[in-house]
Amino acid sequence: MGIEYSQISLEPDNNTDTKVSQPTSSIDEKTALNLVWQLPQVKRKAREIQRLSKGTIRVAAMVDGLPTPETPYYTIRVIENHVDHIDTIYLFRVLNPSKAIQVYDILKDEYIPLPEWKPN
């Protein structure tokens, strides 16, 4: 199973006949990914998995959803990248434009603010 990556064209639409309202975005995909990847909890989990798997399993982060007017956040998935499949470790939302981070709590079945998160 491969991972699909999307690219967003930032080229302006030259069609002047139709004007579509677009949400203004103050952060991009790279910034959202970096905000999550720099979290101490994510770094610690990545080191732990790398050590326990003796380097055979890599941890990665990927953009799983882009902001829309209805969902003004990036969804970032932190995964274990195995040879034949991937497993999700954590799901995050990075709110746009505030950069606030929420994490999916599987016990509560909802996203919670980062300061409330107890990953263990």
Side-chain angles (χ1 to χ4, degrees):
M1 175 177 183
I3 299 174
E4 287 188 33
Y5 294 93
S6 299
Q7 286 192 336
I8 300 172
S9 173
L10 298 179
E11 296 297 318
D13 185 5
N14 292 330
N15 183 356
T16 58
D17 295 334
T18 306
K19 297 191 185 268
V20 178
S21 175
Q22 295 290 327
T24 56
S25 175
S26 66
I27 64 172
D28 59 12
E29 290 178 56
K30 184 176 180 180
T31 301
L33 276 170
N34 286 336
L35 287 169
V36 168
W37 193 250
Q38 295 303 315
L39 293 172
Q41 301 93 324
V42 172
K43 286 181 169 185
R44 187 175 21 234
K45 181 58 87 173
R47 284 192 305 269
E48 177 185 356
I49 291 169
Q50 177 98 10
R51 181 179 50 81
L52 293 174
S53 72
K54 296 180 172 56
T56 61
I57 301 171
R58 299 285 182 181
V59 174
M62 59 186 276
V63 175
D64 199 42
L66 300 173
T68 68
E70 295 79 30
T71 58
Y73 50 80
Y74 288 92
T75 302
I76 307 296
R77 186 180 299 265
V78 177
I79 59 169
E80 290 180 357
N81 196 356
H82 297 263
V83 174
D84 58 349
H85 69 283
I86 61 171
D87 289 321
T88 300
I89 304 170
Y90 303 127
L91 278 173
F92 295 93
R93 286 180 177 166
V94 180
L95 279 61
N96 190 30
S98 72
K99 299 182 185 177
I101 299 174
Q102 299 174 336
V103 62
Y104 181 72
D105 185 319
I106 59 172
L107 297 176
K108 293 181 179 180
D109 191 28
E110 66 184 15
Y111 283 89
I112 61 171
L114 191 61
E116 294 177 20
W117 184 38
K118 308 282 190 267
N120 296 331

